[in-house]
């Protein structure tokens, strides 16, 4: 990707976010948090608090695992790559005074700040966290380029600053996975190697390869190199940050080989040219080492020739079942998230197969990132399925942002033997119709907020559950989510949501009048608020049906099914 292509891509994506959330700088910060900090869109949106009287604090995010607080400020210029001086950065340095200790945080809370910032400080318990010793990091990001004044001043601060050049250097993105067939020749520092031949077609070799040679491999920036990895780049984790620090410390490069666990690569062919200190590989994929290679790529200006990494190269055909075993065992030696481990779970594999069979290969139930999505009319990934189930079948939309919890103690309840592909697809159809018609919700921030859409899904479910035909569809959706009935169902849901949106708008409008700050981000994570909205809108709809029986779900469906 060229810099010009990158600038166009960012600007178009920021424009989309701007239509959903706030202004240019806020939208750019959300984009940055998603793409560079690798937060979810929900976390990214929740972190932003930019607005009048924000004291120069555009966003706050807390890393609970590492006990770190991040304070953000962003600047998005109408023109990319303009010079950025030190003025705004100097102003941002002053923000650190508010977080020097717990007393300063109290002073910030007592000062003339906007209510959203105040609520965020209180909800995140910033005062308590600083008292407990959480560290505070300051991040400044812009689509301009730092001039000499900015660079000189930044060298005197502890600010983690990103200009457009640095963001571009660290930017990676997803495209469709493909096996890299173009041969690559990697130069070696020496000819030492361990050759192992388990079978004629499955030879392997272990080498010490300079890190900068591994960056010759195609597919690091767009992640296609890692499509067989059980996980992709996980962002600013403790391990990745420590790795980046080691890369930047050139005194450690000679010893890096001793520290690092190594990288595993499968390929269709390799040729070891020992006399020339070279190896040529083709048809390659990295099955273990995504975190390392992306870190190497992002910090490539700090690499030296004497930084070596243990590399295992295994010759195996791309479609061989042996690859799955190699991948599983290679990754079992390192920390993998619970979600990663569930990607090959019998329940998930069975659900994926049932989706294929039930919907004639038109719906992809995606249980692992990197799966080929070309040719499918609908795509439902495992996280999304968990969110749909939590909302539609457990009535807990306020927990849908806690995706990690889906794969812990609750996993067997969420993905139980009674959960079918038809039930998941029913919830998907309804949620998708809500998204398609979300402009019926008058409050713009609410209609752009992910958790709100799940709350509306729960409301539609409650109304259907109160209806004779609706209950039948929920209990046994098989005949309603396939064939010609599915189009009738979609139209019925759309018409029902058109009616329900009026009641939702009324509830939100009335609620706003009772509070000084309508903190929608936290409200849609609050069980009491979500339950209250659900009961209020359901009651309003039931009254409407008494006056207008044609507004019942059954009447709507049967009128369309003629």
């Amino acid at each position: 990707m060229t810099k010009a292509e990158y600038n166009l891509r960012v600007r178009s994506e920021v424009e989309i976010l701007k239509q959903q959330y706030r202004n240019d700088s806020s939208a750019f910060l959300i984009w940055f948090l998603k793409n560079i900090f690798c937060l979810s869109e929900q976390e990214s949106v929740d972190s932003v608090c930019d607005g009048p009287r924000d004291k120069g604090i555009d966003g706050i995010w807390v890393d609970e695992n590492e006990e770190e607080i991040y304070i953000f400020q962003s600047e998005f210029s109408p023109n990319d790559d303009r010079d950025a001086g030190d003025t705004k950065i100097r102003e941002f340095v002053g923000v650190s005074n508010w977080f020097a200790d717990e007393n300063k945080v109290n002073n910030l809370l007592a000062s003339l700040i906007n209510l959203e910032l105040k609520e965020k400080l209180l909800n995140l318990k910033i005062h308590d966290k600083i008292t407990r010793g959480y560290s505070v990091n300051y991040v400044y990001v812009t689509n301009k380029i730092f001039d000499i004044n900015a660079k000189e001043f930044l060298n005197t601060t502890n600010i983690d600053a990103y200009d457009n050049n640095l963001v571009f250097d660290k930017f990676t993105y997803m495209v469709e996975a493909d096996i890299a067939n173009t041969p690559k020749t990697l130069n070696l520092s020496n000819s030492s190697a361990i050759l192992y031949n388990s079978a004629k077609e499955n030879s392997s070799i272990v080498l010490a390869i300079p890190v900068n040679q591994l960056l010759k491999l195609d597919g690091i920036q767009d992640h296609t190199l890692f499509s067989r990895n059980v996980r992709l780049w996980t962002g600013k984790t403790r391990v990745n940050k420590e790795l980046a620090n080691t890369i930047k410390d050139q005194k450690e490069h000679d010893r890096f080989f001793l520290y690092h666990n190594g990288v595993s690569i499968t390929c269709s062919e390799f040729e070891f040219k020992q006399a020339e200190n070279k190896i040529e590989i083709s048809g390659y994929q990295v099955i273990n080492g995504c975190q390392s290679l992306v870190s190497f790529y992002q910090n490539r200006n700090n690499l030296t020739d004497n930084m070596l990494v243990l590399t295992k190269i295994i010759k195996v055909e791309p479609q061989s079942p042996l690859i799955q075993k190699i991948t599983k065992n290679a990754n079992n030696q390192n920390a993998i998230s619970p979600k990663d481990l569930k990607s090959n779970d019998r329940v998930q594999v069975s659900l994926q197969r049932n989706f294929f069979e039930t919907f004639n290969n038109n719906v992809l139930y995606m249980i692992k990132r990197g799966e080929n999505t070309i040719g499918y009319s609908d795509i439902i990934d495992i996280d999304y399925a968990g969110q749909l189930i939590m909302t539609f079948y457990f009535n807990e939309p306020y927990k849908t942002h806690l995706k990690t919890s889906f794969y812990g103690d609750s996993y067997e309840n969420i993905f139980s033997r009674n959960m079918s592909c038809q039930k998941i697809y029913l919830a998907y159809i309804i949620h998708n119709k809500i998204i398609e018609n979300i402009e019926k919700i008058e409050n713009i921030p609410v209609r752009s907020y992910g958790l709100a859409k799940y709350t509306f899904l729960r409301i539609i479910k409650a109304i259907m559950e109160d209806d004779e035909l609706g209950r039948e569809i929920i209990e046994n959706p098989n005949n309603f989510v396939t064939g010609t009935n599915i189009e009738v169902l979609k139209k019925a849901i759309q018409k029902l949501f058109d009616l329900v949106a009026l009641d939702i708008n009324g509830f939100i409008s009335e609620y706003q009048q009772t509070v000084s700050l309508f903190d929608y981000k936290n409200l849609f994570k609050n069980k009491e608020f979500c339950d209250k909205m659900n009961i209020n809108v359901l009651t309003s709809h039931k009254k409407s049906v008494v006056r207008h029986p044609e507004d019942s779900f059954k009447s709507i469906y049967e009128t369309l099914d003629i």
Side-chain angles (χ1 to χ4, degrees):
M1 175 178 285
T2 66
K3 183 69 174 298
E5 291 171 335
Y6 158 80
N7 284 338
L8 285 173
R9 177 175 180 142
V10 173
R11 192 160 289 281
S12 64
E13 292 179 359
V14 167
E15 184 61 31
I16 293 171
L17 290 169
K18 178 185 173 183
Q19 294 171 12
Q20 297 175 319
Y21 314 107
R22 305 172 177 269
N23 54 36
D24 282 344
S25 291
S26 296
F28 179 54
L29 180 55
I30 292 170
W31 181 92
F32 173 82
L33 293 173
K34 283 176 57 181
N35 289 279
I36 304 302
F37 254 62
C38 296
L39 304 186
S40 68
E41 181 162 339
Q42 198 74 63
E43 286 181 299
S44 301
V45 173
D46 290 350
S47 298
V48 175
C49 54
D50 181 24
R53 305 193 312 279
D54 62 16
K55 301 294 186 183
I57 302 166
D58 293 344
I60 305 175
W61 178 66
V62 177
D63 186 339
E64 299 288 0
N65 294 327
E66 304 301 326
E67 298 190 346
E68 293 180 323
I69 300 166
Y70 286 85
I71 308 298
F72 299 94
Q73 186 177 102
S74 64
E75 180 190 11
F76 190 70
S77 171
N79 300 304
D80 301 305
D81 296 332
R82 293 180 61 183
D83 284 349
D86 60 359
T87 303
K88 288 186 176 294
I89 303 170
R90 288 180 182 275
E91 293 172 356
F92 185 48
V93 168
V95 171
S96 62
N97 294 327
W98 294 113
F99 300 93
D101 55 45
E102 56 270 29
N103 293 325
K104 294 295 178 60
V105 176
N106 284 336
N107 293 340
L108 176 60
L109 287 165
S111 68
L112 189 62
I113 58 176
N114 67 57
L115 287 172
E116 185 176 15
L117 174 58
K118 187 172 185 177
E119 289 290 331
K120 187 169 294 295
L121 292 167
L122 292 171
N123 289 328
L124 292 175
K125 300 179 179 178
I126 298 299
H127 173 277
D128 295 342
K129 288 178 168 61
I130 288 179
T131 302
R132 287 158 49 194
Y134 276 52
S135 61
V136 184
N137 303 295
Y138 301 90
V139 181
Y140 182 88
V141 57
T142 179
N143 67 328
K144 294 181 178 181
I145 296 176
F146 296 138
D147 65 14
I148 186 63
N149 296 317
K151 291 176 181 177
E152 288 178 350
F153 179 67
L154 284 168
N155 287 334
T156 68
T157 74
N158 64 347
I159 291 177
D160 194 5
Y162 293 76
D163 68 358
N164 210 33
N165 285 338
L166 183 58
V167 177
F168 174 61
D169 282 345
K170 293 185 176 295
F171 178 63
T172 61
Y173 56 98
M174 291 291 298
V175 300
E176 296 302 330
D178 195 12
I179 302 297
N181 289 311
T182 304
K184 291 290 180 182
T185 299
L186 308 181
N187 298 318
L188 311 174
S189 60
N190 59 66
S191 59
S192 298
I194 299 174
L195 282 162
Y196 176 71
N197 294 298
S198 60
K200 183 177 180 180
E201 66 276 15
N202 294 131
S203 57
S204 60
I205 187 169
V206 180
L207 301 156
I209 298 182
V211 169
N212 52 22
Q213 290 295 304
L214 290 176
L215 295 190
K216 291 181 178 180
L217 300 179
D218 294 328
I220 297 177
Q221 188 184 22
D222 62 17
H223 289 200
T224 53
L225 183 60
F226 315 112
S227 64
R228 293 190 183 276
N229 224 68
V230 297
R231 58 180 176 178
L232 297 179
W233 170 242
T234 54
K236 293 176 73 68
T237 63
R238 175 183 57 81
V239 173
N240 288 338
K241 286 188 282 188
E242 289 177 355
L243 176 57
N245 289 335
T246 302
I247 295 170
K248 292 172 184 176
D249 185 359
Q250 294 191 359
K251 295 191 299 293
E252 293 290 322
H253 286 194
D254 284 335
R255 293 186 287 270
F256 186 80
F257 183 84
L258 306 177
Y259 305 151
H260 196 268
N261 288 335
V263 172
S264 297
I265 301 172
T266 61
C267 65
S268 56
E269 293 288 343
F270 73 78
E271 182 181 359
F272 178 42
K273 301 177 180 179
Q274 188 169 20
E276 301 175 34
N277 282 351
K278 293 180 180 179
I279 185 168
E280 185 177 280
I281 62 173
S282 60
Y284 52 83
Q285 278 276 294
V286 168
I287 60 169
N288 180 247
C290 171
Q291 310 306 313
S292 298
L293 283 173
V294 173
S295 292
F296 296 152
Y297 175 82
Q298 292 187 344
N299 295 278
R300 55 195 179 278
N301 293 333
N302 296 301
L303 301 179
T304 58
D305 291 337
N306 55 342
M307 189 174 180
L308 309 179
V309 64
L310 182 72
T311 306
K312 178 167 61 176
I313 300 173
I314 305 161
K315 179 184 175 182
V316 57
E317 288 303 315
Q319 304 306 319
S320 170
L322 183 61
I323 284 185
Q324 292 185 350
K325 293 182 179 180
I326 295 171
T327 301
K328 178 181 178 182
N329 288 288
N331 284 283
N332 274 343
Q333 299 167 29
N334 297 291
I336 301 173
S337 74
K339 173 187 171 180
D340 295 328
L341 293 174
K342 298 301 183 185
S343 65
N344 291 321
D345 182 77
R346 178 184 56 81
V347 172
Q348 298 303 328
V349 173
S350 176
L351 275 172
Q352 187 181 62
R353 184 176 64 250
N354 290 338
F355 264 99
F356 285 144
E357 293 173 352
T358 303
F359 301 103
N360 298 318
N361 290 321
N362 288 317
V363 180
L364 171 63
Y365 180 64
M366 191 164 66
I367 58 179
K368 190 177 73 171
R369 290 177 67 181
E371 290 182 281
N372 190 343
T373 59
I374 294 175
Y376 296 100
S377 57
D378 295 301
I379 300 168
I380 305 171
D381 69 29
I382 182 174
D383 277 344
Y384 186 20
Q387 291 173 309
L388 294 172
I389 294 168
M390 285 294 292
T391 299
F392 202 76
Y393 298 102
F394 287 86
N395 299 316
E396 296 180 333
Y398 42 83
K399 291 184 178 179
T400 51
H401 62 297
L402 305 173
K403 290 182 282 190
T404 304
S405 66
F406 301 166
Y407 312 104
D409 294 338
S410 302
Y411 177 77
E412 291 184 358
N413 290 326
I414 297 171
F415 294 100
S416 70
R417 61 188 299 272
N418 296 319
M419 186 49 57
S420 66
C421 67
Q422 293 93 337
K423 288 183 176 181
I424 294 173
Y425 196 58
L426 171 65
Y428 167 79
I429 289 171
I430 299 172
H431 188 243
N432 209 41
K433 275 296 162 187
I434 291 170
I435 293 171
E436 287 178 8
N437 296 276
I438 199 64
E439 74 279 354
K440 298 291 194 309
I441 303 301
E442 294 171 353
N443 188 294
I444 295 175
V446 167
R447 76 185 187 204
S448 300
Y449 195 54
L451 262 67
K453 299 183 184 84
Y454 289 110
T455 301
F456 304 154
L457 172 62
R458 183 220 185 161
I459 290 170
I460 294 295
K461 182 268 180 104
I463 291 171
M464 290 178 66
E465 209 167 34
D466 193 57
D467 179 275
E468 179 186 356
L469 178 61
R471 279 195 304 276
E472 179 186 344
I473 293 174
I474 292 171
E475 291 170 5
N476 187 13
N478 297 23
N479 294 329
F480 297 90
V481 296
T482 56
T484 57
N485 288 338
I486 190 172
E487 294 306 320
V488 179
L489 176 62
K490 288 179 179 179
K491 291 176 182 177
I493 294 298
Q494 180 171 329
K495 188 167 183 180
L496 179 62
F497 184 68
D498 287 348
L499 295 171
V500 171
L502 298 172
D503 294 325
I504 293 173
N505 289 331
F507 175 84
I508 292 173
S509 179
E510 290 177 10
Y511 189 89
Q512 283 182 294
Q513 295 174 21
T514 66
V515 294
S516 56
L517 171 67
F518 181 59
D519 186 7
Y520 67 94
K521 296 176 186 175
N522 285 308
L523 285 172
F524 282 102
K525 296 175 185 173
N526 181 282
K527 180 181 185 299
E528 182 180 351
F529 173 82
C530 293
D531 288 348
K532 184 177 181 180
M533 176 182 280
N534 186 66
I535 293 170
N536 185 287
V537 175
L538 175 61
T539 301
S540 295
H541 182 74
K542 290 170 74 171
K543 290 178 181 178
S544 175
V545 170
V546 171
R547 296 189 300 269
H548 304 283
E550 67 274 14
D551 287 348
S552 73
F553 177 75
K554 181 178 181 181
S555 295
I556 293 171
Y557 187 95
E558 290 179 345
T559 300
L560 293 167
D561 189 26
I562 296 176

